[in-house]
Amino acid sequence: MTRARDRRQRDILHNGVETDRRLLDRPRYSEGFRGTVALLPGAAGVSWPGCASGAIRREGGKVTVDLGRCLMCGRCQEAAPEAFAIESGWTRPARRRGDLVTVQGGDVPVASAQDAGALLLEKVGRVLGRSLAIREVDAGSCNGCEVEISALSNPVYDVERFGVRFVASPRHADVLLVTGVGATNLEDALRRTYDATPHPKVVVAVGACACSGGIFGETYASAGGVAGIVPVDVYVPGCPPRPEAVLYGILLAVDRVAPQKTS
Amino acid sequence: MTAPAVRLERLRGELAGRASSVSVKHGNEAHVEAELLDLPAICERVRDSCGGRLAMVACSDERRTKGRYVLRYVFDMVGVDLFVVLSAGVDPAEPSFPSIASLFPAATRYEREVRDMFGLVAAGSPDPRPMVLHDRWPDGAHPLRKDFAIGTRPGGTDARGYEFMEVAGDGVSEIPVGPVHAGVIEPGHFRFSVLGESIVNLETRLFYAHRGVEKLAEGMTLDQALLLSERISGDEAVANSTAFCQAIERAAGAEAPRRATETRAICAELERIYNHIGTLAGLTLDAGFAYGASRLLLLKERVMSLNEDFTGSRLLFGVNRLGGVGVDALLVAGEVSETVSAVLEDFRKVVEAIRDESSVIDRLSGTGTIAPGLAFELGLQGIVARSSGVDVDTRRDHPYGAYGLLRVDKHHDTRRQATEFGVKLAKARGDVLARFDSRVDEVEGSAEIIDQLLVKMGGDGTLTVPVAGEMLEPFASALGYAESHRGRTLHWVVIGDDRDSLLRYKVRTASFANWPAIEVAVLNDIVADFPLINKSLDLSYAANDL
């Protein structure tokens, strides 16, 4: 019950530093956290059409799991434990949408335990002069991703220590953090927000909905992900992604930004 | 006779000769059929003589089976555990029905919804503008009609525009805000008309986050629809999925095992705690007390991390299953109890520190007032209603699951406590401070409920009962409901031909009921207080927009 003890602090009003200094380095998730799906050898003979978001498919004789669609509900593991295993490590965000699709026999893209927080700090410092401005846009999410993005600003994650801050206008933003399915009713507003953002206009799609439409798919009300409306640079899977995963996505996005010319 | 039976008798008397006989389903649903044109008169009787409050209007396309659309008006009988479901058919050849907005102001939004989604027009409606479907939507396409294919992308390029109410006069100006907001929040448009700093009118335009939940559910299996219900509003996953599961269970005549109902209630109260703490943090921050807010956010983080240890999800996704639950609260009882009491202890300290800051309390006091009478008229729900002195709480009024065996609030107990509660409710002034105080009380209340549940926890350890196949008759229908941290979420399901699908899934969340509150709460306040008022109401856009 270490985690339970972690939560019991001495005195809430005078308790010193609560910030997790090794945020991406040391796992914060619990053992039971549903973070990713691994394909087991037994998947070869399995056909399971029941996936609510259509993340599991069979293509060319091979089973694939699209982690950019996956809700991490665990139904596949219950239906076919010989084929699918829910694991607690969170799925690594990716620059290419295709990298979120695992093929039977391939690697599961779990975030590696590197000191990514420090790396981000260094990158933001080098590339952006220690200031990365983010505008969050909800393009039709359930608000779950917003809860986790908001958590980034709490004292535990304290994203501002990396030079990352949320700004009130797209005109001040380097990065757009977009959640939701790409709702039909928000299409115009999202496009105009994108247009109002100065270059380099980096877009990070956060959550299964933003990556693919998630459980909502592509319908009269949904573009099936924000890439249907604006170009996306980084995909952060999860339903919703953990705050660490969102931070990791931002880290990848910074790589897309050309280094500043130093005078 | 019990109180619901007395009320039912009165209803039968009032409706004799005006409508079909009353049939009772699932213990507390009284179903009545009426002629379309008699609706307003009957609704008025249900309201005035039987104490009915409009809870929901659900339309469904039953052209295939009955050759018509059917409108169902669901009334909550104030003070007793009874819902009245009044239904009337609409002929597809005459797609119109009489508006009841003059009787129930809340009806306006349902009528606009029915018009957009089914193409049925409410004759005499005070507000015939489109609501769910926005500018580029073509005329004549109505998503919840059965012949509308879900994949149809709106092809319209012409913006048909939207007329906001215009306030004219010397010195009046307009401030448009959104749909993309300045904070990390959901999308919605606010059109303020201001005179100097004072707000003289506010109009909200929502549904930017419309994802087609109800239409999607019609193509899903019941278990998939359960996953969908968790994602109606991410921070209300337990409440909405509980309401959905209970609706299906009622339709099947099944009852979730005791351990399951207890686990559901514990998770629902954890959901209430982490969300209320988050809202209190937001209020504290908006009032300029960053330190108090950061302390509360730490506590919220602790509860979310407990959620994850318990259920594998920080937002409590995956708790519910059809017929029960997927997690067992007994296995983590010690950790839940330990964390909740530690959080509560710290919470009290932080709240005391916040209440000591007169600069915070002064901002909250007298701001964003919703008068009690208005809260009742508008059909407001949950904490917003209670903070304006309207005594409603689904957990007590329509006890479901484990709540039937619990003391949810103190006025269930002795006469003296009932009086205390009455006095407290009467003092609820309906301002931001009242809503702040109510949330603090509810965090305490939820912790107490969790305590009671953990002590009593019993049952034989069964987590689910089967709810499938023969148990579910095609066309069987039922209401399901739960009290989220925002108020009652009310769901209605109709089982499909194959017994594992839905012909109709109607969701009415507390947010849908409460959104009109913001337009009245801000009147005569200043623009700078808007964020505070908005936060105090804690309305979900996603849950409203579906």
Side-chain angles (χ1 to χ4, degrees):
Chain A
M1 291 286 133
T2 326
R3 285 168 58 85
R5 256 197 305 280
D6 275 352
R7 287 191 291 266
R8 202 178 52 233
Q9 299 296 329
R10 292 185 309 277
D11 179 353
I12 186 73
L13 296 176
H14 310 94
N15 55 351
V17 178
E18 294 257 3
T19 306
D20 187 340
R21 290 168 205 251
R22 299 165 65 199
L23 191 55
L24 292 167
D25 181 21
R26 180 186 60 180
R28 282 189 65 80
Y29 51 81
S30 60
E31 277 168 35
F33 171 65
R34 296 185 297 276
T36 195
V37 181
L39 279 167
L40 305 178
V46 165
S47 167
W48 189 68
C51 180
S53 62
I56 295 174
R57 290 195 186 156
R58 178 171 278 281
E59 279 160 26
K62 286 205 163 178
V63 174
T64 60
V65 179
D66 182 352
L67 293 164
R69 278 186 193 279
C70 182
L71 309 175
M72 314 293 167
C73 68
R75 300 293 201 272
C76 55
Q77 185 183 29
E78 285 164 28
E82 73 284 8
F84 309 103
I86 301 293
E87 294 181 353
S88 55
W90 42 273
T91 312
R92 187 172 56 222
R95 290 216 197 100
R96 284 177 308 172
R97 180 70 182 78
D99 289 350
L100 294 177
V101 181
T102 45
V103 183
Q104 199 187 313
D107 289 336
V108 181
V110 176
S112 57
Q114 53 169 306
D115 204 357
L119 204 58
L120 177 62
L121 190 61
E122 187 225 307
K123 272 185 195 161
V124 173
R126 182 162 42 83
V127 179
L128 294 157
R130 281 170 55 188
S131 159
L132 183 69
I134 295 181
R135 174 82 282 262
E136 197 266 351
V137 183
D138 176 338
S141 85
C142 74
N143 198 33
C145 290
E146 275 64 32
V147 171
E148 294 298 51
I149 292 171
S150 302
L152 277 178
S153 299
N154 78 26
V156 173
Y157 300 99
D158 187 25
V159 74
E160 291 213 7
R161 70 187 138 138
F162 302 118
V164 173
R165 68 207 159 87
F166 291 96
V167 294
S169 165
R171 296 199 188 280
H172 305 153
D174 305 304
V175 171
L176 292 180
L177 211 52
V178 188
T179 64
V181 297
T184 302
N185 286 349
L186 204 87
E187 248 184 79
D188 287 349
L190 178 57
R191 257 195 213 103
R192 288 169 68 179
T193 304
Y194 181 80
D195 290 344
T197 309
H199 285 284
K201 291 184 193 281
V202 177
V203 176
V204 180
V206 176
C209 290
C211 292
S212 66
I215 196 169
F216 300 100
E218 188 178 343
T219 67
Y220 76 93
S222 152
V226 296
I229 303 172
V230 293
V232 172
D233 297 291
V234 174
Y235 296 88
V236 182
C239 186
R242 312 178 60 80
E244 302 97 291
V246 177
L247 189 58
Y248 195 104
I250 296 168
L251 171 81
L252 278 182
V254 176
D255 276 344
R256 270 295 174 92
V257 181
Q260 261 179 356
K261 280 180 190 142
T262 44
S263 52
Chain B
M1 261 200 293
T2 60
V6 171
R7 195 72 65 91
L8 206 54
E9 257 339 282
R10 201 189 306 164
L11 181 79
R12 288 198 165 105
E14 286 293 331
L15 299 187
R18 294 165 186 275
S20 74
S21 62
V22 179
S23 64
V24 179
K25 286 206 301 192
H26 313 308
N28 65 356
E29 293 177 24
H31 289 257
V32 190
E33 281 173 44
E35 288 299 319
L36 191 62
L37 294 178
D38 294 338
L39 273 177
I42 295 177
C43 289
E44 192 168 4
R45 289 207 160 232
V46 170
R47 181 188 70 175
D48 296 342
S49 308
C50 310
R53 211 172 169 227
L54 184 67
M56 175 165 85
V57 179
C59 186
S60 59
D61 179 353
E62 299 176 23
R63 287 179 293 172
R64 178 172 65 95
T65 49
K66 294 184 181 159
R68 56 189 188 171
Y69 299 95
V70 179
L71 285 165
R72 287 179 179 79
Y73 293 76
V74 182
F75 296 91
D76 182 14
M77 297 291 115
V78 175
V80 292
D81 180 15
L82 182 67
F83 292 98
V84 172
V85 184
L86 176 64
S87 62
V90 181
D91 182 355
E94 283 176 63
S96 161
F97 60 101
S99 166
I100 57 161
S102 61
L103 295 168
F104 298 93
T108 312
R109 299 182 82 232
Y110 296 105
E111 289 171 356
R112 291 174 73 187
E113 183 187 31
V114 168
R115 185 195 147 112
D116 281 1
M117 303 308 274
F118 292 91
L120 309 181
V121 178
S125 163
D127 189 349
R129 293 173 300 174
M131 184 173 78
V132 184
L133 306 172
H134 279 195
D135 299 1
R136 293 193 293 132
W137 194 262
D139 290 333
H142 305 286
L144 284 176
R145 285 189 176 178
K146 290 289 180 190
D147 48 13
F148 178 91
I150 191 168
T152 314
R153 296 286 295 164
T157 47
D158 294 336
R160 62 181 172 190
Y162 186 83
E163 278 179 30
F164 287 93
M165 196 215 278
E166 205 173 303
V167 181
D170 275 351
V172 177
S173 50
E174 273 193 353
I175 308 175
V177 177
V180 178
H181 291 161
V184 181
I185 36 173
E186 303 176 81
H189 182 84
F190 302 114
R191 185 67 59 99
F192 296 92
S193 296
V194 295
L195 193 58
E197 279 200 88
S198 297
I199 301 167
V200 292
N201 190 54
L202 165 64
E203 215 185 320
T204 55
R205 190 179 189 206
L206 302 170
F207 296 91
Y208 290 94
H210 177 65
R211 292 147 293 155
V213 168
E214 292 179 2
K215 184 73 178 181
L216 266 167
E218 292 175 10
M220 290 179 158
T221 66
L222 296 180
D223 187 49
Q224 290 172 344
L226 165 58
L227 293 169
L228 181 69
S229 73
E230 290 183 326
R231 287 155 182 85
I232 287 168
S233 166
D235 55 10
E236 288 173 287
V238 178
N240 279 319
S241 59
T242 299
F244 175 75
C245 287
Q246 286 174 349
I248 300 291
E249 287 153 19
R250 278 160 69 104
E255 212 169 296
R258 182 169 162 192
R259 182 75 61 82
T261 59
E262 286 164 342
T263 299
R264 277 177 184 171
I266 288 170
C267 292
E269 299 308 322
L270 286 173
E271 185 170 84
R272 201 179 317 280
I273 291 175
Y274 91 78
N275 279 295
H276 277 341
I277 293 180
T279 301
L280 290 167
L283 276 171
T284 310
L285 190 66
D286 284 348
F289 187 35
Y291 175 71
S294 84
R295 300 301 94 181
L296 288 172
L297 289 176
L298 274 175
L299 298 180
K300 179 182 178 182
E301 182 65 27
R302 284 190 212 164
V303 180
M304 290 184 75
S305 127
L306 171 68
N307 292 347
E308 186 192 322
D309 281 3
F310 178 3
T311 69
S313 159
R314 286 163 50 86
L315 283 96
L316 299 165
F317 284 8
V319 167
N320 274 307
R321 293 302 170 97
L322 292 172
V325 288
V327 292
D328 183 354
L330 196 64
L331 301 180
V332 287
E335 193 183 345
V336 171
S337 167
E338 194 184 345
T339 306
V340 169
S341 62
V343 165
L344 188 64
E345 196 182 311
D346 280 343
F347 176 73
R348 288 179 181 143
K349 287 184 200 162
V350 180
V351 169
E352 201 189 322
I354 294 169
R355 284 182 170 153
D356 277 348
E357 292 294 321
S358 58
S359 67
V360 174
I361 301 305
D362 286 351
R363 282 285 309 275
L364 310 187
S365 175
T367 307
T369 305
I370 304 168
L374 206 52
F376 188 85
E377 282 277 303
L378 290 174
L380 304 187
Q381 299 290 325
I383 201 154
V384 173
R386 290 193 285 279
S387 303
S388 285
V390 181
D391 189 7
V392 287
D393 188 331
T394 315
R395 294 172 293 173
R396 183 203 62 215
D397 300 340
H398 304 284
Y400 55 91
Y403 293 108
L405 306 166
L406 284 179
R407 242 180 343 112
V408 172
D409 63 50
K410 296 177 178 75
H411 69 297
H412 259 167
D413 226 14
T414 63
R415 190 178 293 271
R416 206 178 76 80
Q417 281 174 327
T419 313
E420 272 173 20
F421 184 81
V423 170
K424 193 169 187 180
L425 208 60
K427 278 187 185 166
R429 288 160 305 168
D431 59 357
V432 175
L433 184 60
R435 292 188 282 276
F436 181 96
D437 289 339
S438 302
R439 283 182 209 281
V440 172
D441 289 349
E442 283 204 25
V443 170
E444 298 259 357
S446 293
E448 196 188 314
I449 290 172
I450 290 174
D451 249 10
Q452 288 183 47
L453 284 165
L454 287 174
V455 168
K456 283 186 185 170
M457 215 147 187
D460 56 3
T462 311
L463 295 180
T464 54
V465 293
V467 179
E470 295 301 305
M471 301 173 78
L472 289 160
E473 289 294 325
F475 309 111
S477 69
L479 292 169
Y481 39 83
E483 182 85 3
S484 84
H485 58 282
R486 298 192 170 97
R488 177 186 306 157
T489 181
L490 183 60
H491 299 208
W492 182 63
V493 298
V494 184
I495 305 296
D497 304 16
D498 66 355
R499 302 169 194 261
D500 189 29
S501 63
L502 294 165
L503 280 175
R504 179 82 172 98
Y505 179 28
K506 168 69 193 160
V507 178
R508 201 259 21 220
T509 61
S511 297
F512 186 89
N514 283 352
W515 263 105
I518 199 165
E519 295 180 355
V520 298
V522 299
L523 292 180
N524 298 320
D525 277 297
I526 60 173
V527 177
D529 278 339
F530 173 75
L532 212 54
I533 298 168
N534 191 8
K535 193 76 217 167
S536 77
L537 296 169
D538 181 31
L539 302 161
S540 163
Y541 301 67
N544 175 79
D545 301 354
L546 296 181

